[in-house]
Every structure is written in C-alpha cells, then in structure tokens.
Amino acid sequence: MTDPVISMAFKPTEFPISPLIFGHFIEFIENCMIGGVYDPDSPASDEKGIRQDVLEKAKGLRPAILRWPGGTFANTYHWMDAIGPLPQRRKRKNLIWGGIVDNAFGTAEFIQYCRALGAEPMLCVNMASGTAQEAAEWVEYCNGPVTSEYGRIRVERGHPEPYNVKFWSLGNEIGYRHMEGRLLKALLPLLGEEARGQHTREHEAKDMAHLSGVGYFCCSNPAMGYGEHHQD
C-alpha cells in the first residue's frame, strides 16, 4: 500500500492583494498603551517615553496600517484632551476598561509612532459620545493647512506640516451585541436625562442606534476605513 499523496498547484492571484489588510490596532486597555507602547518610567524608553523594545518587536510584525485610539475606548475618546504641552492635557477616567488616562500619548505621539513603525496611521473617531463636528475638526487638525482654524492650532502646537492622515475609521463596534451592555453603562452618565432610564437587553440594540447616531454602521477593520475608499 502506497502512502497517499496530495498535489497542490499555486497560481498567482488574479487580483492584487492590498497590504492594508495586514493591519493592527492599539488601545488604552490594560498595559497595551500605558506600560507597553508608552512608558516614560521604563529604562527601555526614549526621551519621549516610547518603549524602544516594544517598538522593535512591533516592527517585526510589519503592519501596513495601525489604528488608534481603539477599540471600544474610541467611543469615549475626545482628541482635544491630548494635544499641546503635557501639563495642559486633560486626564480622564477610562470608562470602558478602567483606570485613568493622562493623555500623554495623543495624536502627535501616535503619528510619530506610526512613522517610526513604517505604518499608515488610521484614526478612529468617536461615533458614540462624540459628534460629527468633533470628528471633522480632528480631520482638519491633522490635514488642514495653516490657514484653517484647526490646522493653525496644530502649527501652534509645534507641527507645521499636515499629518496627511488618509484613513479614518467611523466608530468601533457600535452595534456589536457583545459590547452593548458595557458601552451603554459607560455612555449613559455622559448623556442627558432623556437618554437615561431603565435599559433591558431587549432595548439595548435600539438604544445603541440612538446613541451612536449612525444606527448599526460600524467600522472596526482597518481595511474598511473611510479614507481607503474616499480619498478625494
């Protein structure tokens, strides 16, 4: 009796595979960010608090794109808390994963990290407790010229050239059932009386659509970012 043999013939794919599907994301959860990516008290960190040992390991993954600040954390993140001199940045409770976020790692630090990593930055806007106006202002802050309102603020913060962020994620897991209870618990204290009250599992899906303002649309995969399909 002869041993079975399997023959496989590989053919070049008919369509090109975008490298952007090989992406990762980082989030303020446990020690992913604080103590991982960023740790000013670590001897392994540079003068900006970036852990060089973690950065070198991340380079080995060769991510084409990196998404931040989440993850579900993005649903409570407000980008203006984390710009400007460190003493002026606003500390906030991490309503999703617990603890305090001092916002020492913000937009500028993330962009610099992506450049060091060789990855395209993807910013995930807050589609739950944030507003479309806040998201638009973040886009202008990152990509606007000095003549624009928020582009001027970027320049005043020491970054004269636009960041040219091409990829934007519209929220994160807004309508995913496994996160609805946690997200509702975090968001309800931030909302007005009209949005508060008793919430059952039966009504959480409808509540999430109301709170997010975008129904069940969510974007949690870097390959599905707005900028990839709308770069005009």
Side-chain angles (χ1 to χ4, degrees), residues 71-89:
T72 310
F73 177 81
N75 296 319
T76 62
Y77 182 75
H78 300 283
W79 67 272
M80 288 198 73
D81 292 341
I83 64 173
L86 297 186
Q88 297 178 14
R89 299 191 184 187

Side-chain angles (χ1 to χ4, degrees), residues 3 15 18-19 48 50-51 54 67 72 76 83 151 158 161-162 165 181 190 203 219 222:
D3 294 332
F15 303 100
S18 171
K48 296 180 179 179
I50 302 300
R51 283 191 53 164
V54 175
R67 182 166 55 103
T72 310
T76 62
I83 64 173
E161 297 300 322
V165 178
L190 307 179
H203 296 109
C219 177

Side-chain angles (χ1 to χ4, degrees), residues 73-139:
F73 177 81
N75 296 319
T76 62
Y77 182 75
H78 300 283
W79 67 272
M80 288 198 73
D81 292 341
I83 64 173
L86 297 186
Q88 297 178 14
R89 299 191 184 187
R90 180 175 178 178
K91 296 181 179 181
R92 283 186 183 264
K93 290 182 179 179
N94 188 334
L95 297 175
I96 301 297
W97 304 118
I100 301 293
V101 176
D102 65 8
N103 282 309
F105 189 99
T107 301
E109 290 76 21
F110 174 66
I111 298 298
Q112 292 168 0
Y113 195 78
C114 287
R115 301 295 187 243
L117 193 58
E120 285 283 350
M122 169 179 272
L123 292 173
C124 183
V125 303
N126 182 345
M127 297 291 286
S129 64
T131 65
Q133 181 67 33
E134 180 184 21
E137 291 166 353
W138 200 7
V139 174

Side-chain angles (χ1 to χ4, degrees), residues 141-216:
Y141 179 82
C142 290
N143 298 344
V146 65
T147 53
S148 65
E149 178 181 359
Y150 285 88
R152 183 177 67 253
I153 295 175
R154 183 197 66 248
V155 174
E156 291 171 352
R157 298 297 188 272
H159 305 281
E161 297 300 322
Y163 294 137
N164 294 321
V165 178
K166 301 176 183 178
F167 303 97
W168 297 83
S169 177
L170 303 183
N172 177 85
E173 298 181 352
I174 294 297
Y176 282 13
R177 171 66 70 178
H178 76 286
M179 286 306 302
E180 286 168 3
R182 179 187 293 271
L183 190 53
L184 271 174
K185 183 178 179 181
L187 294 182
L188 286 176
L190 307 179
L191 305 176
E193 292 295 334
E194 182 180 353
R196 298 175 185 168
Q198 298 298 320
H199 295 270
T200 64
R201 291 295 295 178
E202 180 181 356
H203 296 109
E204 281 180 3
K206 182 172 68 175
D207 291 335
M208 287 307 302
H210 168 70
L211 296 177
S212 69
V214 293
Y216 264 51

